[in-house]
């Protein structure tokens, strides 16, 4: 019996590639939920998702579709949705995108997996900006690729710098690079010129370019430029999660160079068959809900203003430029060398939940915390108020 148990244990040993780190923000959420269960009012600034629901147009379309058959769709996505996404690039960016290059995905998360599988071999090195969204490096690792973190600085608005990319490439060749603008956790953006220079540098060096454009539409400082406008060879990844407030619908898209369409179609056929049908129907109708989503965006702008104006008086005067998305990345090194502990204490004592920078940056994350301002105006005001009182500055 003992022998059987022992051999069963050996059989269910998890693979080394599955040994990816957890997402610390989930620990913060769990701690906040425990406080709330004890009757405490917590201000939630930790999770990166909109408080608003999907546009009414999307909800109505989904309700309408529920009466009928919800069947598989083509693996690349419903044709009319792919065409609608392509049209979106004409409307927003003034460029023609062939609907044949559009692939519907289960959120941008599935887009990363498909892009990495479609472009890279095991062992390939892929450059990422540090700090950055943790699943990039964790998915790459799980697929046997090597994430290469490149430090960013104020000089480049916390974006990858072409010279740093080339230096990493010369040290050991890179197969790809992934950037996000607006970025998570920093909320910073690359100008069109900076993005263009980086894409040019990467492509001249034979480095494949992936652009995570999930926060497009949520730009306040200046307009975000899509890589689709700058290169026909870049892989674009986008999602309905953020601008369209559809996180739980798990729906996104890619725009890929023509030679990648069929390989990614074959991957998606095998990995997922197709993307949830109800979500595809809702997503297509979401484009008709832009006026509603613009109002939601104005709410974020207002929250951003409250934090940008209020946090310095509350004691957090150093943060990265909050250009876009709905994040503010604040330097707390004046108070602590351990952002995880700082976030834990801020939650326990000020009842404000925020995410420690160590989630996003293994090098300097201990000096930062991230606030997500995708909630209500009251939450933004309460954050300034409570943090200020807690730090003894109000
Ligand atoms: C930068 C970035 N990319 C991608 C995602 C994944 O989003 P989804 O899979 O919902 O499209 C997130 C989620 O927070 C994100 O912040």
């Amino acid at each position: 019996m003992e022998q059987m148990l022992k051999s069963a244990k050996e059989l269910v040993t998890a693979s080394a590639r599955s040994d990816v780190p957890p997402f610390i923000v989930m620990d913060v959420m769990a701690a906040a939920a425990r406080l709330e269960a004890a009757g405490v009012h917590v201000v939630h600034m930790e999770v990166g998702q909109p408080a608003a629901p999907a546009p009414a147009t999307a909800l109505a379309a989904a309700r309408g579709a529920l009466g009928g058959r919800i069947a598989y769709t083509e693996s690349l996505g419903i044709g009319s949705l792919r065409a609608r996404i392509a049209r979106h690039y004409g409307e927003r960016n003034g460029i023609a995108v062939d609907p044949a290059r559009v692939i519907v995905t289960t959120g941008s998360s599935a887009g990363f997996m498909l892009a990495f599988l479609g472009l890279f071999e095991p062992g390939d090195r892929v450059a990422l900006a540090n700090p950055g969204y943790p699943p990039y490096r964790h998915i790459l690792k799980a697929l046997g690729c090597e994430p290469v973190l490149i430090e960013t600085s104020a000089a480049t608005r916390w974006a990858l710098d072409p010279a740093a990319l080339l230096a990493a490439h010369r040290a050991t060749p890179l197969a790809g690079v992934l950037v996000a603008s607006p970025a998570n956790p920093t909320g910073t953006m690359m100008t069109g010129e900076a993005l263009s220079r980086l894409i040019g540098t990467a492509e001249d060096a034979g480095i494949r370019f992936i652009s995570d454009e999930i926060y497009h539409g949520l730009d306040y400082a200046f307009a975000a430029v899509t890589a689709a406008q700058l290169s026909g060879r870049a892989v674009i990844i986008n999602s309905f999660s953020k601008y369209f407030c559809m996180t739980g619908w798990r729906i996104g898209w890619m725009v890929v160079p023509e030679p990648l369409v069929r390989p990614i179609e074959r991957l998606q056929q095998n990995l997922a068959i197709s993307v949830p049908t109800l979500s595809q129907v809702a997503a297509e109708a979401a484009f008709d809900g832009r006026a509603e989503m613009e109002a939601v965006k104005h709410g974020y702008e207002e929250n951003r203003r409250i934090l940008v104006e209020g946090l310095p008086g509350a004691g957090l005067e150093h943060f990265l430029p909050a250009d876009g998305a709905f994040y503010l990345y604040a330097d707390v090194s004046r108070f602590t060398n351990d952002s995880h502990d700082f976030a834990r204490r801020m939650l326990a004592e000020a009842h404000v939940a925020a995410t420690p920078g160590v989630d996003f940056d293994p090098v300097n994350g201990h000096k930062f915390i991230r606030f997500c301002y995708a909630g209500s105006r009251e939450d933004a005001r309460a954050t300034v108020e409570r943090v200020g009182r807690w730090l003894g500055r109000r």
Side-chain angles (χ1 to χ4, degrees):
M1 185 65 184
E2 212 157 273
Q3 186 54 37
M4 266 172 71
L5 276 176
K6 189 166 171 279
S7 62
K9 227 179 203 171
E10 276 161 12
L11 274 178
V12 294
T13 304
S15 65
R17 69 158 82 185
S18 68
D19 185 21
V20 295
F23 210 179
I24 296 171
V25 65
M26 305 317 269
D27 292 348
V28 178
M29 272 173 75
R34 281 195 297 276
L35 271 182
E36 282 171 326
V40 173
H41 175 257
V42 173
V43 178
H44 287 277
M45 304 296 278
E46 78 278 35
V47 189
Q49 68 175 339
T57 50
L59 297 175
R63 272 189 213 104
L66 267 178
R69 182 164 170 257
I70 306 289
Y72 292 136
T73 72
E74 284 176 64
S75 288
L76 291 174
I78 295 174
S80 57
L81 171 59
R82 295 172 69 203
R84 184 66 192 87
I85 291 168
R87 183 146 67 85
H88 166 78
Y89 285 92
E91 293 165 357
R92 294 289 290 177
N93 309 101
I95 54 166
V97 166
D98 183 352
R101 294 175 53 212
V102 175
I103 299 173
V104 180
T105 60
T106 309
S108 66
S109 301
F112 300 131
M113 217 156 54
L114 292 166
F116 298 162
L117 284 168
L119 288 172
F120 307 130
E121 305 295 347
D124 274 355
R125 288 161 38 89
V126 180
L128 305 167
N130 191 49
Y133 178 60
Y136 300 148
R137 49 192 149 96
H138 300 163
I139 298 171
L140 282 167
K141 178 180 178 286
L143 294 178
C145 297
E146 187 189 335
V148 177
L149 301 188
I150 299 184
E151 286 308 310
T152 59
S153 71
T156 57
R157 228 179 167 81
W158 276 267
L160 258 179
D161 169 55
L165 182 74
L166 278 185
H169 185 55
R170 283 198 200 100
T172 318
L174 294 165
V177 57
L178 186 160
V179 303
S181 167
N184 179 9
T186 55
T188 53
M189 283 171 60
M190 298 180 81
T191 61
E193 299 82 71
L195 185 64
S196 176
R197 266 198 309 277
L198 187 63
I199 293 178
T201 303
E203 292 189 342
D204 287 350
I207 302 169
R208 263 76 57 90
F209 197 89
I210 303 173
S211 183
D212 178 0
E213 303 188 348
I214 186 169
Y215 292 104
H216 275 215
L218 301 177
D219 40 12
Y220 318 109
F222 47 89
V225 173
T226 172
Q229 204 167 326
L230 304 169
S231 164
R233 288 184 284 169
V235 169
I236 304 351
I237 297 181
N238 209 321
S239 175
F240 289 88
S241 288
K242 309 292 169 153
Y243 177 81
F244 288 107
C245 301
M246 294 177 72
T247 46
W249 295 77
R250 311 307 305 126
I251 178 108
W253 76 87
M254 309 168 79
V255 179
V256 306
E258 194 280 327
L260 277 184
V261 175
R262 181 61 182 154
I264 291 184
E265 179 178 27
R266 283 188 267 111
L267 284 165
Q268 182 133 277
Q269 286 170 346
N270 284 280
L271 289 171
I273 301 184
S274 64
V275 170
T277 306
L278 199 59
S279 299
Q280 293 193 60
V281 171
E284 190 175 337
F287 286 108
D288 298 328
R290 294 194 64 100
E292 188 185 342
M293 294 300 101
E294 282 298 302
V296 172
K297 175 184 174 177
H298 291 318
Y300 302 151
E301 273 179 292
E302 194 48 27
N303 295 345
R304 170 180 179 266
R305 188 190 59 74
I306 292 167
L307 293 179
V308 168
E309 288 178 8
L311 282 179
L316 299 179
E317 54 273 273
H318 299 295
F319 40 81
L320 271 47
D323 297 332
F326 30 55
Y327 303 117
L328 188 142
Y329 203 52
D331 185 335
V332 292
S333 59
R334 206 155 68 76
F335 303 100
T336 184
N337 207 18
D338 179 350
S339 59
H340 198 175
D341 176 64
F342 185 85
R344 220 182 273 127
R345 283 189 292 117
M346 192 168 76
L347 174 60
E349 295 161 21
H351 304 153
V352 175
T355 309
V358 282
D359 237 2
F360 310 100
D361 178 351
V363 183
N364 290 310
H366 59 280
K367 298 182 195 162
F368 291 88
I369 58 166
R370 186 195 74 175
F371 292 100
C372 168
Y373 54 83
S376 67
R377 203 127 340 145
E378 291 68 45
D379 284 348
R381 284 199 199 99
T383 297
V384 169
E385 226 269 52
R386 290 183 185 194
V387 170
R389 222 178 320 125
W390 182 57
L391 294 175
R393 296 291 293 267
R394 282 184 114 68

